[in-house]
Amino acid sequence: MPIVKKPDMDLSSPSSYRPISNLPFVSKLLERVVAHQVTTYFNKNHLLPTHQSAYRRHHSTNTALLSICNDAIPAADRGLVTLVVLQDLSAAFDTAEYTISLLLDILQTRFGITDAALNWHKTYLSERFL
């Protein structure tokens, strides 16, 4: 049964619903193995931003909030003003084709993923989001 992303969304639009995975067990297993390998590679080579909390083990919105507080409270004690800018990226994949090409470019140029691994990601993302 499809699940609506947010209660106030247009129920007649397919983009208002959460994606449903109908992948067989082997595909899900392969996805987890690749995700583990990529995450290990990123962590081992220190390729993720220091303060990124999303999609990292032992990190959460709580660790992000603690990081902000650890900076803001001492600044306030010194009489400084702290400005926090937050972004809602819930619609980040609404332009999937553009996002996929950008993601593949980042994987190649910033993270050094090339050849067969890059082609695998290209195929996987194209099948999943286009």
Side-chain angles (χ1 to χ4, degrees):
M1 174 160 233
I3 301 171
V4 179
K5 289 180 184 177
K6 296 178 184 172
D8 58 339
M9 296 187 84
D10 177 16
L11 300 180
S12 64
S13 173
S15 64
S16 299
Y17 295 92
R18 297 186 187 279
I20 299 171
S21 177
N22 291 325
L23 296 173
F25 170 76
V26 175
S27 296
K28 289 182 180 182
L29 180 63
L30 179 63
E31 184 178 320
R32 281 191 160 193
V33 168
V34 170
H36 176 73
Q37 288 177 340
V38 169
T39 304
T40 301
Y41 172 77
F42 287 172
N43 290 332
K44 182 178 174 183
N45 294 290
H46 308 287
L47 296 172
L48 296 174
T50 307
H51 297 291
Q52 176 178 325
S53 290
Y55 312 110
R56 295 180 80 174
R57 179 173 245 155
H58 307 299
H59 289 75
S60 66
T61 52
N62 290 342
T63 56
L65 183 59
L66 284 172
S67 177
I68 291 170
C69 289
N70 281 342
D71 292 338
I73 292 172
D77 289 343
R78 292 191 314 270
L80 300 173
V81 175
T82 300
L83 174 67
V84 178
V85 177
L86 305 171
Q87 290 181 306
D88 178 7
L89 300 176
S90 61
F93 281 94
D94 283 353
T95 55
E97 192 168 341
Y98 169 76
T99 305
I100 288 171
S101 64
L102 180 62
L103 177 61
L104 291 170
D105 184 56
I106 291 170
L107 286 173
Q108 184 175 17
T109 57
R110 191 178 304 167
F111 298 117
I113 295 177
T114 60
D115 303 326
L118 187 65
N119 286 334
W120 185 89
H121 281 86
K122 182 177 183 177
T123 302
Y124 174 79
L125 290 169
S126 297
E127 289 174 0
R128 191 111 191 250
F129 294 106
L130 292 181

